[in-house]
Amino acid sequence: MTEDRKTIRQMCEEFDVTPRTLRFYEAKELISPLREGQKRLYGKRSQARLKLILQGKRFGFSLEEIRQLLDLYYIGDQRRTQMTKTYDLAVERLSAMKQQRAELDTTIAEFEKQLQWGANFIADLTAKEAAE
Amino acid sequence: MTEDRKTIRQMCEEFDVTPRTLRFYEAKELISPLREGQKRLYGKRSQARLKLILQGKRFGFSLEEIRQLLDLYYIGDQRRTQMTKTYDLAVERLSAMKQQRAELDTTIAEFEKQLQWGANFIADLTAKEAAE
DNA sequence: ACGTCTCTTTACGTTAACGTCATGGTCACC
DNA sequence: GGTGACCATGACGTTAACGTAAAGAGACGT
């Protein structure tokens, strides 16, 4: 028993979110912390899920999409049909991510070229003004 | 004169957006089409900008951020101070994008591992049921 | 007992990025 | 000269993802 249950405040500091955010995620059934009386206690599982949620957000997934992805990580005892559906969804998502990475690659490349051009432009401006 | 001014409807079809979206972008000063009487006419510049806007959106930039980035592409006659500021902003953004790509890479990797695990899990389930 | 934290729930407010009418002008076509 | 088709400008509605304020319970120090 690794005894690492954290209060809401501890969670907020560790993951840099507000209490409201955590309660919001709970309302959306993304996390389900334990209760000690009234107070929420976030165990290991909740912490791991929150980490995944924040990861997902950084890649532009909506909370609803993230909720579905979480099912992949925490399967448990579902029926296979349901699982397969989730799995298929994940496969799609993965290919979307690869597609996105490809686009990101070319965008970065173009962007770097553009930046180089911008740098030259600024250099030109500076030269001109020095010459006056 | 390449005479490729398009109406709002033509733009919508070509870029798969609604008229409302184009007017909205205009209100936010992201595009400024010409006018023929009352009607909007989108020239080459507007088309190029729209393309960039949609690109930016796919990478999670907000419209406001995109507006700033567009200044980098269409500089014109600004003062150097302003330019340099914009340039610096772009450099930051580029490094953010590279960072994002790195994260994306590891996420894809983890995700693939997880998917493999999920596939095995499903396979197990199937085997069990077949055995019953 | 009192004040002060930290937690709780409930509920209304906010921002971005449009969607969705409602209303009205203009032009070609029949 | 009416009737669509396409355009315009308001102006109000919508969704996601929280923010923020109100009101109250429980534990703790003095």
Side-chain angles (χ1 to χ4, degrees), chain A residues 45 48-49 52 55 66-76 86 90, chain B residues 107 110-112 114-115 117:
Chain A
R45 177 194 169 101
R49 288 179 74 99
L52 288 171
Q55 270 242 355
I66 290 174
R67 203 181 57 72
Q68 306 202 24
L69 286 177
L70 282 176
D71 291 347
L72 223 213
Y73 287 81
Y74 295 92
I75 298 183
T86 312
Chain B
T107 301
E110 283 184 29
F111 204 75
E112 269 175 333
Q114 194 62 37
L115 258 187
W117 182 85

Side-chain angles (χ1 to χ4, degrees), chain A residues 71-85:
Chain A
D71 291 347
L72 223 213
Y73 287 81
Y74 295 92
I75 298 183
D77 51 355
Q78 275 102 352
R79 216 90 256 333
R80 187 173 29 102
T81 55
Q82 168 60 19
M83 275 219 35
T84 311
K85 237 182 69 190

Side-chain angles (χ1 to χ4, degrees), chain B residues 7 9 20 23 35 38 40:
Chain B
T7 84
R9 193 59 57 175
R20 165 73 215 198
R23 299 194 188 105
R35 293 296 182 120
Q38 280 286 49
R40 283 168 238 264

Side-chain angles (χ1 to χ4, degrees), chain A residues 11-119:
Chain A
M11 287 291 281
C12 290
E13 282 170 20
E14 175 153 355
F15 292 96
D16 191 33
V17 294
T18 71
R20 166 71 218 204
T21 298
L22 291 180
R23 298 194 189 103
F24 182 73
Y25 289 166
E26 187 175 345
K28 289 292 172 106
E29 298 181 47
L30 289 164
I31 313 183
S32 29
L34 316 167
R35 294 295 181 120
E36 187 178 61
Q38 279 286 50
K39 316 217 166 153
R40 291 169 170 80
L41 279 187
Y42 297 84
K44 197 158 191 243
R45 177 194 169 101
S46 293
Q47 294 176 41
R49 288 179 74 99
L50 179 55
K51 191 176 162 189
L52 288 171
I53 293 170
L54 298 179
Q55 270 242 355
K57 286 205 57 182
R58 283 208 303 281
F59 291 102
F61 295 99
S62 77
L63 290 184
E64 175 55 26
E65 288 172 323
I66 290 174
R67 203 181 57 72
Q68 306 202 24
L69 286 177
L70 282 176
D71 291 347
L72 223 213
Y73 287 81
Y74 295 92
I75 298 183
D77 51 355
Q78 275 102 352
R79 216 90 256 333
R80 187 173 29 102
T81 55
Q82 168 60 19
M83 275 219 35
T84 311
K85 237 182 69 190
T86 312
Y87 178 80
D88 290 349
L89 199 155
V91 171
E92 274 182 43
R93 188 82 57 201
L94 176 60
S95 98
M97 286 175 67
K98 286 188 172 175
Q99 167 68 16
Q100 180 179 345
R101 180 174 56 182
E103 287 186 33
L104 184 56
D105 280 345
T106 76
T107 301
I108 285 181
E110 284 185 27
F111 205 73
E112 267 175 335
K113 264 171 54 185
Q114 194 63 37
L115 258 186
Q116 189 52 47
W117 182 85

Side-chain angles (χ1 to χ4, degrees), chain B residues 42-61:
Chain B
Y42 297 84
K44 201 159 190 240
R45 176 194 169 101
S46 293
Q47 295 176 41
R49 288 178 75 98
L50 178 56
K51 191 175 162 190
L52 288 171
I53 292 169
L54 298 178
Q55 270 240 359
K57 287 205 56 183
R58 283 209 302 281
F59 291 102
F61 295 98

Side-chain angles (χ1 to χ4, degrees), chain B residues 20-78:
Chain B
R20 165 73 215 198
T21 298
L22 292 179
R23 299 194 188 105
F24 182 73
Y25 289 166
E26 186 176 345
K28 290 290 172 111
E29 297 181 47
L30 288 165
I31 313 183
S32 29
L34 315 168
R35 293 296 182 120
E36 187 179 62
Q38 280 286 49
K39 317 222 163 146
R40 283 168 238 264
L41 280 187
Y42 297 84
K44 201 159 190 240
R45 176 194 169 101
S46 293
Q47 295 176 41
R49 288 178 75 98
L50 178 56
K51 191 175 162 190
L52 288 171
I53 292 169
L54 298 178
Q55 270 240 359
K57 287 205 56 183
R58 283 209 302 281
F59 291 102
F61 295 98
S62 76
L63 291 184
E64 175 54 26
E65 289 172 322
I66 291 174
R67 204 180 57 72
Q68 307 202 23
L69 286 177
L70 281 175
D71 292 346
L72 222 214
Y73 287 81
Y74 296 92
I75 299 184
D77 51 355
Q78 275 102 350

